[in-house]
Amino acid sequence: MTLTPQDGGGRHGGRRRDGGADGDRGRRRRGVLRWSASVVALAIAGTATAGYLYYEHLNGNIKKESLNIGDSKDRAAESKANAAGQTPLNILLIGSDARDTAENQKLGGAKDIGTAARADVQMLLHVSADRTNMSVVSMPRDTLVDIPKCTDTDTGKVYAATSDTMTNSSLERGGPGCTVATWEKLTDIHIDHFMMVDFSGVVSMADAIGGVPVCVDANIYSHTSTGHGSGLKLTKGTTSVKGKQALQWLRTRYGFEDGSDIARTKAQHMYMNSMVRQLRSNATLSNPDKLLKLAETATKALTVDDGLGTVTELYDLSKELKKVPTERITMTTMPWVYSADGNRVLPKPTDAAKLWRLVREDIALDGKDKKKTTTATKVTDKAAADDRIAVQVQNGTSSSTESAVTGRAAAVTELLVGKGFTRAAADSSALLSEDRTLVRYPSADLAGDAQRVAKALGVPADQVKKSTDVDGVTLVVGADWRSGTKYTADDDDTTPASASALNAADTKACMHVDPDYTW
C-alpha cells in the first residue's frame, strides 16, 4: 500500500502496512483520497434552463474518458428490465489521488507532480430499477483482485492482465475504464457509468455546498510525533467541514477506531450520507446564483464516461437519483478478510459473493423490499422417463471469492446416475461461475425434462431457465452447492452483517475516536 507523509504507513485492522503492489516499494508514498462522489450529480439540477452559451461553457468543463477499456468479451451482461420495463443503474464512483496539478500536489502532500494516479476510493452505486432504493458498496483500496487486460484509448498502450493486484492500481493501467473493467470482472455486474474526482474537486465541492456536517464522539487530532496523520482536528460533537478540512476527514486513518482502511471507509460513508442530506435540504439549490456556482464547481470537478458527458445527461441522472428517498439509501463495504500475509485484504468467501448477487438481482440492501414471489413456468410438455433424459452437467462453482471445486461436475453426475438418470454426463470443458445452481433447457419440448431433473435434486422451479446457450437439458452446479449430495436452496436475501450497512437517514452516526488521538 502507498501512503503520503501526512498519512504514513499504518494499520489495516491494526497491522503494519509497507510497500506497494507490483513491487513498487521504492515509489513515492502517496495519499488517499476519500470522497463521496455519488451525489455530485445532484449539484447539476436546475442548470438545464441556463442560456445556451453558459450551457456550452459547463459542457466544456466536464472531462470525459472511455467507460470500459477491458476486453469486450469480458463485459458483464447488461442488467435485465423488471416487469414494468425499468432497468437499474450501476455507477462506479472513483476518487483519484492524482498529483497532476500544483493544487493536487499540495493537498496530497506530494513532492512531485505527474506520477500515475490511483483509484484510492471505489464505490459502486446501484439505483434500483423502480427507483425506490439505492445501494452503495465500497471496496477497500488494498483489496487484491484480478485486473483484466486494458488498452489505453489515448496512447494505444496495452496493459497485460494481472492477478492478485491491489485494486487501486487499476486506474494507472489506462484510466478509469480499467477500474470499471476490473469491477465487472470481479462482480459480474454491468456498470453503466463512472464518475471520478480528485483532491481539489473534493475541496471545491465541499466549499460550494457550504460544508458537510460530521460527528466525532471525542476531540480528535489525527497527528503523530513522527508526522503521520491527516491533520484533522475537531472537537467532540458535530462540525460542518469544508475545504481542506473536508479532505482531511475523508483521508483520516489515524484517530478513527482501529486506525484501519475499513474505519476510514466508515467515515466516508457518514460523510456521503450527510452530503446527501445536505444537498437535499440546502437552500443553495433554490438560490440561482449559488446553484450556478455549484454547477460550475461540480462540472469542473468531474471526469465521467461519454454517456454522462453533457450537462443534460448529468441533469437527467440527477433526476433519477432524487427519486430515491434518503431513508432507502444504504451504504455498505464489501465483506473482506485479510490476505495470508495480513498486509492486504480479499473478498470474504460467501458473503462478498452474496452481496454481489443481491446487487445483480436488484434486491435492496436495506431489507425493505416487498418479498418477491416467483412462479414456475407452466409446462405442458410431459417429462420423459428418468433413464431417457439426457443431462449435461457443468461445473459453475467458481465465484469472485473462490476457485472452482475440482471434479464437482463428475461428482454430481454420479449422483444423478444413482437417481436413475443414466444418460447424465459431465462436461469437463466448461468451468463456469454461477451463484446459484441452475437447470437450463433450450426449447419448450424439453421444459418437462428440465423440471423433472430439478425436482429430483431439490432445485427450486424458479431456478429452471430456458436458455439459447445450451443444446439440451443442462445442470450447472453453482457456487451454492460446492460439496455434498443434498442441494439446499439459499432463499435468504438479507445483507450479510459483514457488509456493515449504514442508512443515509441515520443522523446520529458518529465516528469513534481512538483515545490515543484525543486532545
Side-chain angles (χ1 to χ4, degrees):
M1 182 164 61
T2 47
L3 304 164
T4 63
Q6 285 186 344
D7 201 8
R11 296 175 293 172
H12 190 309
R15 304 190 185 200
R16 183 74 185 177
R17 313 301 300 274
D18 298 298
D22 300 321
D24 59 350
R25 294 179 181 272
R27 294 177 62 111
R28 156 189 69 78
R29 289 184 168 187
R30 69 182 77 203
V32 179
L33 171 65
R34 294 303 196 213
W35 185 67
S36 53
S38 68
V39 294
V40 72
L42 293 174
I44 311 302
T47 61
T49 58
Y52 175 76
L53 291 178
Y54 190 65
Y55 170 82
E56 286 301 305
H57 166 73
L58 291 178
N59 281 341
N61 285 343
I62 303 168
K63 298 176 285 292
K64 296 180 282 291
E65 297 254 5
S66 299
L67 173 62
N68 188 314
I69 59 174
D71 282 349
S72 58
K73 63 181 177 62
D74 291 332
R75 289 224 62 184
E78 292 187 13
S79 303
K80 294 181 179 179
N82 62 14
Q86 303 164 304
T87 53
L89 271 173
N90 294 307
I91 305 168
L92 187 63
L93 314 170
I94 303 170
S96 159
D97 73 348
R99 282 11 183 250
D100 53 354
T101 66
E103 184 179 7
N104 278 333
Q105 176 197 10
K106 182 179 179 181
L107 290 168
K111 295 181 179 179
D112 54 358
I113 296 177
T115 51
R118 293 195 174 191
D120 273 354
V121 176
Q122 298 175 42
M123 298 181 180
L124 178 64
L125 185 153
H126 172 84
V127 188
S128 66
D130 60 10
R131 305 303 188 253
T132 63
N133 66 87
M134 184 189 302
S135 302
V136 180
V137 184
S138 293
M139 188 194 306
R141 66 172 185 174
D142 52 359
T143 303
L144 297 179
V145 297
D146 294 338
I147 299 179
K149 182 179 78 172
C150 293
T151 303
D152 189 319
T153 55
D154 291 331
T155 66
K157 181 176 180 178
V158 176
Y159 295 85
T162 67
S163 299
D164 295 327
T165 304
M166 276 176 59
T167 183
N168 68 346
S169 67
S170 59
L171 185 61
E172 61 185 2
R173 300 169 64 80
C178 192
T179 306
V180 169
T182 301
W183 270 77
E184 288 202 0
K185 181 176 179 63
L186 174 68
T187 68
D188 199 28
I189 296 170
H190 181 84
I191 294 175
D192 303 290
H193 301 290
F194 74 81
M195 302 172 72
M196 183 171 72
V197 71
D198 59 17
F199 288 137
S200 60
V202 173
V203 172
S204 60
M205 280 298 299
D207 286 346
I209 292 168
V212 177
V214 295
C215 177
V216 288
D217 66 1
N219 294 347
I220 181 174
Y221 184 31
S222 178
H223 178 75
T224 71
S225 59
T226 56
H228 297 318
S230 69
L232 179 71
K233 191 173 186 179
L234 296 175
T235 57
K236 178 181 178 180
T238 299
T239 304
S240 183
V241 297
K242 57 183 178 179
K244 186 175 181 179
Q245 197 173 46
L247 183 60
Q248 288 173 334
W249 174 274
L250 295 164
R251 299 178 68 202
T252 294
R253 161 186 288 192
Y254 291 101
F256 284 157
E257 299 188 350
D258 63 356
S260 70
D261 271 341
I262 306 303
R264 178 158 43 191
T265 297
K266 183 177 178 181
Q268 293 164 11
H269 290 169
M270 289 184 186
Y271 181 96
M272 189 171 180
N273 286 342
S274 186
M275 190 175 179
V276 170
R277 296 192 299 268
Q278 192 76 351
L279 278 168
R280 292 185 172 189
S281 63
N282 199 325
T284 295
L285 298 182
S286 61
N287 182 309
D289 290 337
K290 292 184 177 180
L291 178 61
L292 290 178
K293 179 182 178 182
L294 193 56
E296 180 83 22
T297 300
T299 52
K300 285 182 177 179
L302 286 174
T303 300
V304 299
D305 64 277
D306 291 329
L308 290 180
T310 68
V311 170
T312 299
E313 288 160 333
L314 287 170
Y315 175 63
D316 289 343
L317 173 62
S318 76
K319 291 192 296 183
E320 295 302 299
L321 297 178
K322 287 167 65 178
K323 291 177 182 178
V324 181
T326 303
E327 62 271 16
R328 295 298 311 278
I329 300 174
T330 306
M331 305 286 171
T332 61
T333 300
M334 178 199 76
W336 57 275
V337 294
Y338 283 111
S339 59
D341 62 5
N343 285 331
R344 301 289 182 261
V345 299
L346 300 166
K348 184 177 183 179
T350 307
D351 282 10
K354 181 178 183 181
L355 192 65
W356 303 139
R357 176 181 68 79
L358 295 178
V359 174
R360 276 197 304 273
E361 296 181 6
D362 199 22
I363 297 171
L365 300 187
D366 62 4
K368 296 179 181 178
D369 269 349
K370 293 181 179 178
K371 184 67 176 178
K372 296 180 180 180
T373 57
T374 56
T375 55
T377 303
K378 189 175 182 180
V379 175
T380 56
D381 172 61
K382 186 177 180 180
D386 292 352
D387 62 356
R388 299 293 301 276
I389 299 175
V391 186
Q392 194 171 55
V393 183
Q394 297 178 335
N395 188 342
T397 56
S398 68
S399 70
S400 61
T401 59
E402 296 176 292
S403 57
V405 177
T406 303
R408 190 61 184 147
V412 176
T413 297
E414 184 178 347
L415 174 63
L416 275 171
V417 171
K419 289 180 176 290
F421 294 87
T422 55
R423 296 184 63 190
D427 177 9
S428 58
S429 66
L431 280 179
L432 309 177
S433 178
E434 291 290 346
D435 294 326
R436 291 181 169 180
T437 295
L438 301 172
V439 181
R440 293 173 169 154
Y441 62 96
S443 54
D445 61 314
L446 291 176
D449 291 355
Q451 289 202 358
R452 171 61 195 142
V453 171
K455 184 176 181 180
L457 294 174
V459 176
D462 66 331
Q463 290 171 224
V464 180
K465 307 285 186 181
K466 186 177 180 180
S467 171
T468 57
D469 294 332
V470 296
D471 297 325
V473 176
T474 303
L475 169 67
V476 184
V477 184
D480 60 347
W481 196 16
R482 294 174 61 85
S483 62
T485 58
K486 180 177 175 58
Y487 177 72
T488 303
D490 178 14
D491 58 359
D492 176 16
D493 289 337
T494 58
T495 301
S498 55
S500 304
L502 178 67
N503 189 274
D506 183 358
T507 59
K508 296 182 180 179
C510 207
M511 283 303 295
H512 175 62
V513 175
D514 183 337
D516 291 339
Y517 291 88
T518 59
W519 56 278

